[in-house]
Coordinates of all heavy atoms in Angstrom, one line a residue:
M1 N -36.9 -69.7 -23.7 CA -36.6 -68.3 -23.7 C -36.2 -67.9 -25.1 O -36.6 -66.9 -25.6 CB -35.5 -68.0 -22.8 CG -35.2 -66.6 -22.7 SD -33.6 -66.0 -22.1 CE -32.6 -66.4 -23.5
I2 N -35.4 -68.7 -25.8 CA -34.9 -68.3 -27.1 C -36.1 -68.2 -28.1 O -36.0 -67.4 -29.0 CB -33.8 -69.2 -27.7 CG1 -34.3 -70.7 -27.7 CG2 -32.5 -69.1 -26.9 CD1 -33.2 -71.6 -28.3
E3 N -37.1 -69.0 -27.9 CA -38.3 -68.9 -28.8 C -39.0 -67.5 -28.6 O -39.4 -66.9 -29.6 CB -39.3 -70.0 -28.4 CG -38.9 -71.4 -28.7 CD -38.1 -72.0 -27.6 OE1 -38.0 -71.4 -26.5 OE2 -37.7 -73.1 -27.7
L4 N -39.0 -67.0 -27.4 CA -39.6 -65.7 -27.2 C -38.8 -64.6 -27.8 O -39.4 -63.7 -28.4 CB -39.7 -65.4 -25.7 CG -40.6 -66.3 -24.9 CD1 -40.5 -66.1 -23.4 CD2 -42.1 -66.1 -25.3
V5 N -37.5 -64.7 -27.8 CA -36.7 -63.7 -28.4 C -36.9 -63.8 -30.0 O -37.0 -62.8 -30.6 CB -35.2 -63.9 -28.1 CG1 -34.3 -63.0 -28.8 CG2 -35.0 -63.7 -26.6
A6 N -36.9 -65.0 -30.5 CA -37.1 -65.2 -31.9 C -38.5 -64.7 -32.4 O -38.6 -64.1 -33.5 CB -36.9 -66.6 -32.3
E7 N -39.5 -64.8 -31.6 CA -40.9 -64.4 -32.0 C -41.1 -62.9 -31.9 O -42.0 -62.4 -32.5 CB -41.9 -65.1 -31.0 CG -42.0 -66.6 -31.2 CD -42.8 -67.2 -30.1 OE1 -43.3 -66.5 -29.2 OE2 -42.9 -68.5 -30.1
S8 N -40.2 -62.2 -31.2 CA -40.4 -60.8 -31.0 C -39.9 -59.9 -32.2 O -38.9 -60.3 -32.7 CB -39.7 -60.3 -29.7 OG -39.8 -58.9 -29.5
D9 N -40.6 -58.9 -32.5 CA -40.2 -58.0 -33.5 C -39.3 -56.9 -33.0 O -38.6 -56.2 -33.8 CB -41.4 -57.3 -34.2 CG -42.3 -58.3 -34.9 OD1 -41.8 -59.3 -35.4 OD2 -43.5 -58.1 -35.0
N10 N -39.2 -56.7 -31.7 CA -38.4 -55.7 -31.1 C -37.5 -56.3 -30.0 O -37.7 -57.5 -29.7 CB -39.3 -54.6 -30.5 CG -40.2 -54.0 -31.5 OD1 -39.8 -53.6 -32.6 ND2 -41.5 -53.9 -31.2
D11 N -36.6 -55.5 -29.6 CA -35.8 -55.9 -28.4 C -36.8 -56.1 -27.2 O -37.8 -55.5 -27.1 CB -34.8 -54.8 -28.0 CG -33.7 -54.6 -29.0 OD1 -33.7 -55.3 -30.0 OD2 -32.9 -53.7 -28.8
L12 N -36.5 -57.1 -26.4 CA -37.3 -57.4 -25.2 C -36.6 -56.9 -24.0 O -35.4 -57.1 -23.9 CB -37.5 -58.9 -25.1 CG -38.4 -59.6 -26.1 CD1 -38.3 -61.1 -25.9 CD2 -39.9 -59.1 -25.9
S13 N -37.4 -56.4 -23.1 CA -36.8 -56.0 -21.8 C -36.6 -57.3 -21.0 O -37.4 -58.3 -21.2 CB -37.6 -55.0 -21.0 OG -38.8 -55.7 -20.5
V14 N -35.7 -57.4 -20.1 CA -35.5 -58.5 -19.3 C -36.7 -58.8 -18.4 O -37.1 -59.9 -18.2 CB -34.2 -58.4 -18.4 CG1 -34.0 -59.6 -17.5 CG2 -33.0 -58.3 -19.3
R15 N -37.3 -57.7 -18.0 CA -38.5 -57.8 -17.1 C -39.7 -58.5 -17.9 O -40.3 -59.4 -17.4 CB -39.0 -56.4 -16.6 CG -38.1 -55.9 -15.6 CD -38.5 -54.5 -15.2 NE -37.5 -53.8 -14.4 CZ -37.7 -53.5 -13.2 NH1 -38.9 -53.7 -12.6 NH2 -36.7 -52.9 -12.5
T16 N -39.9 -58.1 -19.2 CA -40.9 -58.7 -20.0 C -40.6 -60.1 -20.2 O -41.5 -61.0 -20.2 CB -41.1 -57.9 -21.3 OG1 -41.4 -56.5 -21.0 CG2 -42.1 -58.5 -22.2
L17 N -39.4 -60.4 -20.6 CA -39.0 -61.8 -20.8 C -39.2 -62.7 -19.6 O -39.7 -63.8 -19.7 CB -37.5 -61.8 -21.2 CG -36.9 -63.1 -21.8 CD1 -37.7 -63.6 -23.0 CD2 -35.5 -62.9 -22.1
A18 N -38.8 -62.2 -18.4 CA -39.0 -62.9 -17.2 C -40.5 -63.1 -16.9 O -40.9 -64.2 -16.5 CB -38.3 -62.2 -16.0
R19 N -41.3 -62.1 -17.1 CA -42.7 -62.2 -16.8 C -43.3 -63.3 -17.8 O -44.2 -64.1 -17.4 CB -43.4 -60.9 -17.0 CG -44.8 -60.9 -16.4 CD -45.3 -59.5 -16.2 NE -44.5 -58.6 -15.4 CZ -44.5 -58.6 -14.1 NH1 -45.4 -59.3 -13.5 NH2 -43.8 -57.8 -13.4
E20 N -42.9 -63.2 -19.1 CA -43.5 -64.2 -20.0 C -43.1 -65.6 -19.7 O -43.9 -66.5 -19.7 CB -43.0 -63.9 -21.4 CG -43.6 -64.8 -22.5 CD -45.1 -64.7 -22.7 OE1 -45.6 -63.6 -22.7 OE2 -45.7 -65.7 -23.0
I21 N -41.9 -65.8 -19.3 CA -41.4 -67.2 -18.9 C -42.1 -67.6 -17.6 O -42.6 -68.8 -17.6 CB -39.9 -67.2 -18.7 CG1 -39.2 -67.0 -20.0 CG2 -39.4 -68.5 -18.1 CD1 -37.7 -66.7 -19.9
A22 N -42.2 -66.8 -16.7 CA -42.9 -67.1 -15.4 C -44.4 -67.5 -15.7 O -45.0 -68.4 -15.2 CB -42.8 -66.0 -14.4
A23 N -45.0 -66.7 -16.6 CA -46.4 -67.0 -17.0 C -46.6 -68.3 -17.6 O -47.5 -69.1 -17.3 CB -46.9 -65.9 -17.9
R24 N -45.7 -68.6 -18.5 CA -45.7 -69.9 -19.2 C -45.5 -71.1 -18.2 O -46.1 -72.1 -18.3 CB -44.7 -70.0 -20.4 CG -45.2 -69.1 -21.5 CD -44.2 -69.3 -22.7 NE -44.6 -68.4 -23.8 CZ -44.1 -68.5 -25.0 NH1 -43.3 -69.5 -25.3 NH2 -44.5 -67.7 -25.9
E25 N -44.5 -70.9 -17.3 CA -44.2 -71.9 -16.4 C -45.4 -72.2 -15.4 O -45.6 -73.3 -15.0 CB -43.0 -71.6 -15.6 CG -41.7 -71.7 -16.3 CD -40.5 -71.3 -15.5 OE1 -40.6 -70.8 -14.4 OE2 -39.3 -71.6 -16.0
Q26 N -46.1 -71.1 -15.1 CA -47.2 -71.3 -14.1 C -48.6 -71.5 -14.9 O -49.6 -71.7 -14.2 CB -47.3 -70.0 -13.3 CG -46.1 -69.8 -12.4 CD -46.3 -68.6 -11.6 OE1 -46.5 -67.5 -12.1 NE2 -46.4 -68.7 -10.2
D27 N -48.5 -71.3 -16.2 CA -49.8 -71.4 -17.0 C -50.8 -70.4 -16.5 O -52.0 -70.8 -16.3 CB -50.3 -72.9 -16.9 CG -51.3 -73.1 -18.1 OD1 -51.3 -72.4 -19.1 OD2 -52.2 -74.0 -17.9
V28 N -50.4 -69.2 -16.5 CA -51.2 -68.0 -16.1 C -51.0 -66.9 -17.1 O -50.0 -66.9 -17.8 CB -50.9 -67.6 -14.6 CG1 -51.2 -68.7 -13.6 CG2 -49.5 -67.0 -14.5
P29 N -51.9 -65.9 -17.1 CA -51.7 -64.7 -17.9 C -50.5 -64.0 -17.5 O -50.1 -64.0 -16.3 CB -53.0 -63.9 -17.8 CG -54.0 -64.9 -17.2 CD -53.3 -65.9 -16.5
M30 N -49.9 -63.2 -18.4 CA -48.7 -62.5 -18.0 C -48.9 -61.5 -16.8 O -48.0 -61.4 -16.0 CB -48.2 -61.7 -19.2 CG -47.0 -62.3 -19.9 SD -46.4 -61.4 -21.3 CE -45.5 -60.1 -20.5
D31 N -50.0 -60.9 -16.8 CA -50.2 -59.9 -15.7 C -50.4 -60.6 -14.3 O -50.3 -60.0 -13.3 CB -51.4 -59.0 -15.9 CG -52.7 -59.7 -16.2 OD1 -52.7 -61.0 -16.4 OD2 -53.8 -59.1 -16.1
C32 N -50.5 -61.9 -14.3 CA -50.6 -62.7 -13.1 C -49.3 -63.3 -12.7 O -49.2 -63.9 -11.6 CB -51.7 -63.8 -13.2 SG -53.4 -63.1 -13.3
A33 N -48.3 -63.2 -13.5 CA -47.0 -63.8 -13.3 C -46.2 -62.8 -12.4 O -45.5 -61.9 -13.0 CB -46.3 -64.1 -14.6
T34 N -46.3 -62.9 -11.1 CA -45.7 -61.9 -10.2 C -45.1 -62.7 -9.0 O -45.1 -63.9 -9.0 CB -46.8 -60.9 -9.7 OG1 -47.8 -61.6 -9.0 CG2 -47.4 -60.1 -10.8
G35 N -44.6 -61.9 -8.1 CA -44.1 -62.5 -6.9 C -42.9 -63.3 -7.0 O -42.0 -63.1 -7.9
E36 N -42.7 -64.3 -6.2 CA -41.5 -65.1 -6.1 C -41.2 -65.9 -7.4 O -40.1 -65.9 -7.9 CB -41.6 -66.1 -5.0 CG -40.2 -66.8 -4.7 CD -40.1 -67.4 -3.4 OE1 -40.8 -66.9 -2.4 OE2 -39.3 -68.3 -3.2
P37 N -42.2 -66.5 -8.1 CA -41.9 -67.2 -9.4 C -41.3 -66.2 -10.4 O -40.3 -66.5 -11.0 CB -43.3 -67.7 -9.8 CG -44.1 -67.9 -8.6 CD -43.6 -66.7 -7.7
Y38 N -41.8 -65.0 -10.5 CA -41.3 -64.0 -11.4 C -39.9 -63.6 -11.0 O -38.9 -63.6 -11.8 CB -42.2 -62.7 -11.4 CG -41.5 -61.5 -12.0 CD1 -41.3 -61.4 -13.4 CD2 -41.0 -60.5 -11.2 CE1 -40.6 -60.3 -13.9 CE2 -40.3 -59.4 -11.7 CZ -40.1 -59.3 -13.1 OH -39.5 -58.3 -13.6
R39 N -39.7 -63.4 -9.7 CA -38.3 -63.0 -9.2 C -37.3 -64.1 -9.4 O -36.2 -63.8 -9.8 CB -38.4 -62.6 -7.7 CG -39.0 -61.2 -7.4 CD -38.8 -60.8 -6.0 NE -39.4 -61.7 -5.0 CZ -40.7 -61.7 -4.7 NH1 -41.5 -60.8 -5.2 NH2 -41.1 -62.5 -3.8
N40 N -37.7 -65.3 -9.2 CA -36.8 -66.4 -9.5 C -36.3 -66.5 -10.9 O -35.2 -66.7 -11.2 CB -37.4 -67.8 -9.1 CG -37.6 -67.9 -7.6 OD1 -36.9 -67.2 -6.8 ND2 -38.5 -68.8 -7.2
V41 N -37.3 -66.3 -11.9 CA -37.0 -66.3 -13.3 C -36.1 -65.2 -13.6 O -35.0 -65.3 -14.3 CB -38.2 -66.3 -14.2 CG1 -37.9 -66.1 -15.6 CG2 -39.0 -67.6 -14.0
Y42 N -36.4 -64.0 -13.1 CA -35.7 -62.8 -13.4 C -34.2 -62.9 -12.9 O -33.3 -62.6 -13.6 CB -36.3 -61.5 -12.7 CG -35.6 -60.3 -13.0 CD1 -35.9 -59.5 -14.1 CD2 -34.6 -59.8 -12.2 CE1 -35.2 -58.3 -14.4 CE2 -33.9 -58.6 -12.4 CZ -34.3 -57.9 -13.6 OH -33.6 -56.7 -13.8
N43 N -34.1 -63.4 -11.7 CA -32.7 -63.6 -11.1 C -31.9 -64.6 -11.9 O -30.7 -64.4 -12.2 CB -32.8 -64.0 -9.7 CG -33.2 -62.8 -8.8 OD1 -33.1 -61.7 -9.1 ND2 -33.8 -63.2 -7.7
A44 N -32.6 -65.7 -12.3 CA -31.8 -66.8 -13.1 C -31.4 -66.2 -14.4 O -30.3 -66.5 -14.9 CB -32.7 -68.0 -13.3
L45 N -32.3 -65.4 -15.1 CA -31.9 -64.8 -16.3 C -30.7 -63.9 -16.1 O -29.7 -63.9 -16.9 CB -33.1 -64.1 -16.9 CG -34.2 -64.9 -17.5 CD1 -35.4 -64.0 -17.9 CD2 -33.7 -65.7 -18.7
S46 N -30.9 -63.0 -15.2 CA -29.8 -61.9 -15.0 C -28.5 -62.5 -14.5 O -27.5 -62.0 -14.9 CB -30.3 -60.9 -13.9 OG -31.5 -60.3 -14.4
Q47 N -28.5 -63.5 -13.7 CA -27.3 -64.0 -13.1 C -26.6 -65.0 -13.9 O -25.4 -65.2 -13.7 CB -27.6 -64.5 -11.6 CG -28.0 -63.4 -10.7 CD -28.5 -64.0 -9.4 OE1 -28.4 -65.1 -9.1 NE2 -29.0 -63.1 -8.5
T48 N -27.3 -65.7 -14.7 CA -26.7 -66.9 -15.4 C -27.0 -66.9 -16.9 O -26.1 -66.8 -17.8 CB -27.2 -68.2 -14.8 OG1 -26.9 -68.2 -13.4 CG2 -26.5 -69.4 -15.4
H49 N -28.3 -67.1 -17.3 CA -28.7 -67.4 -18.6 C -28.4 -66.4 -19.7 O -27.9 -66.7 -20.8 CB -30.1 -67.8 -18.7 CG -30.5 -68.9 -17.7 ND1 -29.9 -70.2 -17.8 CD2 -31.4 -69.0 -16.7 CE1 -30.4 -71.0 -16.9 NE2 -31.3 -70.3 -16.2
L50 N -28.6 -65.1 -19.4 CA -28.4 -64.1 -20.4 C -27.0 -63.9 -20.8 O -26.7 -63.9 -22.0 CB -29.0 -62.8 -19.9 CG -30.5 -62.8 -19.8 CD1 -31.0 -61.4 -19.2 CD2 -31.3 -63.1 -21.1
S51 N -26.1 -63.9 -19.8 CA -24.7 -63.8 -20.2 C -24.1 -65.0 -20.9 O -23.3 -64.9 -21.8 CB -23.8 -63.5 -18.9 OG -24.0 -64.5 -18.0
T52 N -24.6 -66.2 -20.5 CA -24.2 -67.4 -21.2 C -24.6 -67.4 -22.6 O -23.8 -67.7 -23.5 CB -24.7 -68.7 -20.5 OG1 -24.3 -68.7 -19.1 CG2 -24.3 -69.9 -21.1
L53 N -25.9 -67.1 -22.9 CA -26.4 -67.1 -24.3 C -25.8 -66.0 -25.1 O -25.6 -66.1 -26.3 CB -27.9 -67.0 -24.2 CG -28.7 -68.2 -23.7 CD1 -30.1 -67.9 -23.5 CD2 -28.5 -69.4 -24.7
S54 N -25.5 -64.9 -24.4 CA -24.8 -63.8 -25.1 C -23.4 -64.2 -25.5 O -22.9 -63.9 -26.6 CB -24.8 -62.5 -24.2 OG -24.1 -61.5 -24.8
D55 N -22.7 -64.8 -24.6 CA -21.3 -65.3 -24.9 C -21.3 -66.3 -26.1 O -20.3 -66.3 -26.8 CB -20.7 -66.0 -23.7 CG -20.3 -65.0 -22.6 OD1 -20.3 -63.8 -22.8 OD2 -20.1 -65.5 -21.4
A56 N -22.4 -67.0 -26.3 CA -22.5 -68.0 -27.4 C -23.1 -67.3 -28.6 O -23.4 -68.0 -29.6 CB -23.3 -69.2 -27.0
D57 N -23.3 -66.0 -28.6 CA -23.9 -65.2 -29.7 C -25.3 -65.7 -30.1 O -25.8 -65.5 -31.2 CB -23.0 -65.2 -30.9 CG -21.8 -64.4 -30.8 OD1 -21.8 -63.4 -30.0 OD2 -20.7 -64.7 -31.4
V58 N -26.0 -66.3 -29.1 CA -27.4 -66.7 -29.4 C -28.3 -65.5 -29.2 O -29.3 -65.3 -30.0 CB -27.8 -67.8 -28.4 CG1 -29.3 -68.1 -28.6 CG2 -27.0 -69.1 -28.6
I59 N -28.0 -64.6 -28.3 CA -28.7 -63.4 -28.1 C -27.7 -62.2 -28.0 O -26.5 -62.5 -27.8 CB -29.6 -63.4 -26.8 CG1 -28.7 -63.6 -25.6 CG2 -30.7 -64.5 -26.9 CD1 -29.4 -63.3 -24.3
I60 N -28.2 -61.0 -28.1 CA -27.4 -59.8 -27.8 C -28.1 -59.3 -26.5 O -29.2 -58.8 -26.6 CB -27.5 -58.8 -29.0 CG1 -26.9 -59.5 -30.2 CG2 -26.8 -57.6 -28.6 CD1 -27.2 -58.7 -31.5
Y61 N -27.3 -59.3 -25.5 CA -27.8 -58.8 -24.2 C -27.1 -57.5 -23.8 O -25.9 -57.4 -23.8 CB -27.5 -59.9 -23.1 CG -27.8 -59.5 -21.7 CD1 -29.0 -58.8 -21.3 CD2 -26.8 -59.7 -20.7 CE1 -29.2 -58.5 -20.0 CE2 -27.1 -59.3 -19.4 CZ -28.2 -58.7 -19.1 OH -28.5 -58.3 -17.8
D62 N -27.9 -56.5 -23.6 CA -27.4 -55.2 -23.1 C -27.7 -55.0 -21.7 O -28.8 -54.7 -21.3 CB -28.0 -54.1 -23.9 CG -27.4 -52.7 -23.6 OD1 -26.8 -52.5 -22.5 OD2 -27.6 -51.8 -24.5
P63 N -26.7 -55.3 -20.8 CA -27.0 -55.3 -19.3 C -27.3 -53.9 -18.8 O -28.0 -53.7 -17.8 CB -25.7 -55.8 -18.7 CG -24.7 -55.7 -19.7 CD -25.3 -55.7 -21.1
E64 N -26.8 -52.8 -19.5 CA -27.1 -51.5 -19.1 C -28.5 -51.1 -19.4 O -29.2 -50.5 -18.5 CB -26.1 -50.5 -19.7 CG -24.7 -50.6 -19.2 CD -23.8 -49.6 -19.9 OE1 -24.3 -48.6 -20.4 OE2 -22.6 -49.8 -19.8
R65 N -29.0 -51.4 -20.6 CA -30.4 -51.1 -20.9 C -31.4 -52.2 -20.5 O -32.6 -52.1 -20.6 CB -30.5 -51.0 -22.5 CG -29.8 -49.7 -23.0 CD -30.0 -49.5 -24.5 NE -31.4 -49.7 -24.9 CZ -31.7 -50.4 -26.0 NH1 -30.8 -51.1 -26.7 NH2 -33.0 -50.5 -26.3
Q66 N -30.8 -53.4 -20.0 CA -31.6 -54.5 -19.6 C -32.5 -55.0 -20.8 O -33.7 -55.2 -20.6 CB -32.4 -54.2 -18.4 CG -31.6 -54.1 -17.1 CD -31.0 -55.4 -16.7 OE1 -31.8 -56.3 -16.3 NE2 -29.7 -55.6 -16.8
T67 N -31.9 -55.2 -22.0 CA -32.7 -55.6 -23.1 C -32.0 -56.8 -23.8 O -30.8 -57.1 -23.6 CB -32.8 -54.5 -24.2 OG1 -31.5 -54.1 -24.6 CG2 -33.6 -53.4 -23.7
V68 N -32.8 -57.6 -24.5 CA -32.3 -58.8 -25.2 C -32.8 -58.7 -26.6 O -34.0 -58.3 -26.9 CB -32.9 -60.1 -24.5 CG1 -32.5 -61.3 -25.3 CG2 -32.5 -60.1 -23.1
A69 N -31.9 -59.1 -27.6 CA -32.3 -59.1 -29.0 C -31.7 -60.4 -29.6 O -30.8 -61.0 -29.0 CB -31.7 -57.9 -29.7
P70 N -32.2 -60.8 -30.8 CA -31.7 -62.0 -31.4 C -30.2 -61.8 -31.8 O -29.8 -60.7 -32.2 CB -32.5 -62.1 -32.7 CG -33.7 -61.3 -32.4 CD -33.3 -60.2 -31.5
G71 N -29.4 -62.8 -31.6 CA -28.0 -62.8 -31.9 C -27.8 -63.6 -33.2 O -28.7 -64.3 -33.7
P72 N -26.6 -63.6 -33.7 CA -26.3 -64.3 -35.0 C -26.5 -65.8 -34.9 O -26.7 -66.4 -36.0 CB -24.8 -63.9 -35.3 CG -24.3 -63.4 -34.0 CD -25.4 -62.9 -33.2
N73 N -26.4 -66.4 -33.8 CA -26.6 -67.9 -33.7 C -27.9 -68.3 -33.2 O -28.1 -69.5 -32.9 CB -25.5 -68.5 -32.7 CG -24.1 -68.4 -33.3 OD1 -23.9 -68.3 -34.5 ND2 -23.1 -68.3 -32.4
L74 N -28.9 -67.4 -33.2 CA -30.2 -67.7 -32.7 C -30.9 -68.8 -33.5 O -31.5 -69.7 -33.0 CB -31.1 -66.5 -32.5 CG -32.5 -66.7 -32.0 CD1 -32.4 -67.2 -30.5 CD2 -33.4 -65.5 -32.2
T75 N -30.9 -68.6 -34.8 CA -31.6 -69.5 -35.8 C -31.1 -70.9 -35.6 O -31.9 -71.9 -35.5 CB -31.5 -69.0 -37.2 OG1 -32.0 -67.7 -37.3 CG2 -32.2 -69.9 -38.2
I76 N -29.8 -71.1 -35.6 CA -29.2 -72.5 -35.5 C -29.5 -73.1 -34.2 O -29.8 -74.3 -34.0 CB -27.7 -72.5 -35.9 CG1 -27.2 -74.0 -36.0 CG2 -26.9 -71.8 -34.8 CD1 -27.8 -74.7 -37.2
T77 N -29.6 -72.3 -33.1 CA -29.9 -72.7 -31.8 C -31.3 -73.2 -31.7 O -31.6 -74.3 -31.1 CB -29.6 -71.7 -30.7 OG1 -28.2 -71.3 -30.8 CG2 -29.9 -72.1 -29.3
L78 N -32.2 -72.5 -32.4 CA -33.6 -72.9 -32.4 C -33.8 -74.2 -33.2 O -34.5 -75.1 -32.7 CB -34.5 -71.8 -33.1 CG -34.9 -70.6 -32.2 CD1 -35.6 -69.6 -33.1 CD2 -35.9 -71.1 -31.1
L79 N -33.1 -74.3 -34.3 CA -33.2 -75.5 -35.1 C -32.7 -76.7 -34.2 O -33.4 -77.8 -34.2 CB -32.3 -75.4 -36.3 CG -32.2 -76.7 -37.2 CD1 -33.6 -77.1 -37.7 CD2 -31.2 -76.4 -38.3
L80 N -31.6 -76.6 -33.6 CA -31.0 -77.7 -32.8 C -31.9 -78.0 -31.6 O -32.2 -79.2 -31.3 CB -29.6 -77.3 -32.3 CG -28.6 -77.3 -33.4 CD1 -27.3 -76.7 -32.8 CD2 -28.4 -78.6 -34.0
S81 N -32.5 -77.0 -31.0 CA -33.5 -77.2 -29.9 C -34.7 -78.0 -30.4 O -35.1 -78.9 -29.7 CB -33.9 -75.9 -29.3 OG -34.8 -76.0 -28.3
N82 N -35.2 -77.6 -31.5 CA -36.4 -78.3 -32.0 C -36.1 -79.7 -32.4 O -36.9 -80.6 -32.2 CB -37.0 -77.5 -33.3 CG -37.6 -76.2 -32.9 OD1 -38.0 -76.0 -31.7 ND2 -37.7 -75.3 -33.8
L83 N -34.9 -80.0 -33.0 CA -34.5 -81.3 -33.3 C -34.4 -82.2 -32.1 O -34.8 -83.3 -32.0 CB -33.2 -81.3 -34.1 CG -33.3 -80.9 -35.6 CD1 -32.0 -80.7 -36.2 CD2 -34.2 -81.8 -36.4
N84 N -33.8 -81.6 -31.0 CA -33.6 -82.3 -29.8 C -34.9 -82.6 -29.1 O -35.1 -83.7 -28.6 CB -32.7 -81.4 -28.8 CG -32.3 -82.1 -27.6 OD1 -32.0 -83.3 -27.6 ND2 -32.3 -81.4 -26.5
Q85 N -35.9 -81.7 -29.2 CA -37.2 -82.0 -28.6 C -37.9 -83.1 -29.4 O -38.5 -84.0 -28.8 CB -38.0 -80.7 -28.6 CG -37.6 -79.7 -27.6 CD -38.4 -78.4 -27.7 OE1 -39.3 -78.2 -28.5 NE2 -37.9 -77.4 -26.9
A86 N -37.8 -83.1 -30.7 CA -38.4 -84.1 -31.5 C -37.8 -85.5 -31.2 O -38.5 -86.5 -31.1 CB -38.3 -83.8 -33.0
A87 N -36.5 -85.5 -31.1 CA -35.8 -86.8 -30.8 C -36.2 -87.3 -29.4 O -36.4 -88.5 -29.2 CB -34.3 -86.6 -30.8
F88 N -36.3 -86.4 -28.4 CA -36.7 -86.8 -27.1 C -38.1 -87.4 -27.1 O -38.3 -88.4 -26.5 CB -36.6 -85.6 -26.1 CG -37.0 -85.9 -24.7 CD1 -36.1 -86.5 -23.9 CD2 -38.3 -85.6 -24.3 CE1 -36.5 -86.7 -22.6 CE2 -38.7 -85.8 -23.0 CZ -37.8 -86.4 -22.1
Q89 N -39.0 -86.7 -27.8 CA -40.4 -87.2 -27.8 C -40.4 -88.6 -28.5 O -41.2 -89.4 -28.1 CB -41.3 -86.2 -28.6 CG -41.6 -85.0 -27.9 CD -42.5 -85.3 -26.7 OE1 -43.3 -86.2 -26.7 NE2 -42.3 -84.5 -25.6
T90 N -39.7 -88.8 -29.5 CA -39.6 -90.1 -30.2 C -39.1 -91.2 -29.3 O -39.6 -92.3 -29.3 CB -38.8 -90.0 -31.5 OG1 -39.4 -89.0 -32.4 CG2 -38.8 -91.3 -32.3
L91 N -38.0 -90.9 -28.6 CA -37.4 -91.9 -27.8 C -38.3 -92.2 -26.5 O -38.4 -93.4 -26.1 CB -36.0 -91.4 -27.3 CG -35.0 -91.3 -28.4 CD1 -33.7 -90.7 -27.8 CD2 -34.7 -92.7 -28.9
W92 N -38.9 -91.2 -26.0 CA -39.7 -91.5 -24.7 C -41.1 -91.8 -25.0 O -41.8 -92.3 -24.1 CB -39.5 -90.3 -23.8 CG -38.1 -90.2 -23.2 CD1 -37.2 -89.3 -23.6 CD2 -37.5 -91.1 -22.3 NE1 -36.0 -89.6 -22.9 CE2 -36.2 -90.7 -22.1 CE3 -38.0 -92.2 -21.6 CZ2 -35.3 -91.4 -21.2 CZ3 -37.1 -92.8 -20.7 CH2 -35.8 -92.4 -20.6
N93 N -41.7 -91.4 -26.1 CA -43.1 -91.6 -26.5 C -43.1 -92.1 -27.9 O -43.6 -91.4 -28.8 CB -43.9 -90.4 -26.4 CG -43.9 -89.8 -24.9 OD1 -44.2 -90.6 -24.0 ND2 -43.6 -88.6 -24.8
P94 N -42.6 -93.3 -28.2 CA -42.5 -93.8 -29.6 C -43.8 -93.8 -30.4 O -43.8 -93.6 -31.5 CB -41.9 -95.2 -29.5 CG -41.9 -95.6 -28.0 CD -42.1 -94.3 -27.2
E95 N -44.9 -94.0 -29.7 CA -46.2 -94.0 -30.4 C -46.6 -92.7 -30.9 O -47.3 -92.5 -31.9 CB -47.3 -94.6 -29.5 CG -47.2 -96.1 -29.4 CD -47.4 -96.6 -28.0 OE1 -48.2 -96.0 -27.2 OE2 -46.9 -97.7 -27.7
E96 N -46.2 -91.6 -30.2 CA -46.4 -90.2 -30.7 C -45.6 -89.9 -31.9 O -45.9 -89.0 -32.6 CB -46.2 -89.2 -29.6 CG -47.2 -89.3 -28.5 CD -47.0 -88.2 -27.4 OE1 -46.4 -87.2 -27.7 OE2 -47.4 -88.4 -26.3
G97 N -44.5 -90.5 -32.1 CA -43.6 -90.2 -33.2 C -44.0 -90.8 -34.5 O -43.5 -90.5 -35.5
R98 N -45.1 -91.6 -34.5 CA -45.6 -92.2 -35.7 C -46.5 -91.3 -36.5 O -47.1 -90.5 -36.1 CB -46.4 -93.5 -35.4 CG -45.5 -94.6 -34.9 CD -46.3 -95.8 -34.6 NE -45.4 -96.7 -33.8 CZ -45.9 -97.7 -33.2 NH1 -47.1 -98.0 -33.2 NH2 -45.1 -98.5 -32.5

């Protein structure tokens, strides 16, 4: 999710963010990311993830406008996430790390 916020030039609506995440999870185009998978992502974002990331200053979440924007800690969070993914790949797939 934080990658999507970082890639965007504008504030993202929570609906757009949920649809993009659902599309990526299902490996379908955004306009096909509907129904229960979309609702599950939307609810998880709204009820848990957005407020948590906002509290950590990773994103700026406006619950009234239902928008998300990059926060002051987004860049460092992306860096740490990328390092963590690289370390995981190296540990679990050592031949790919070469």
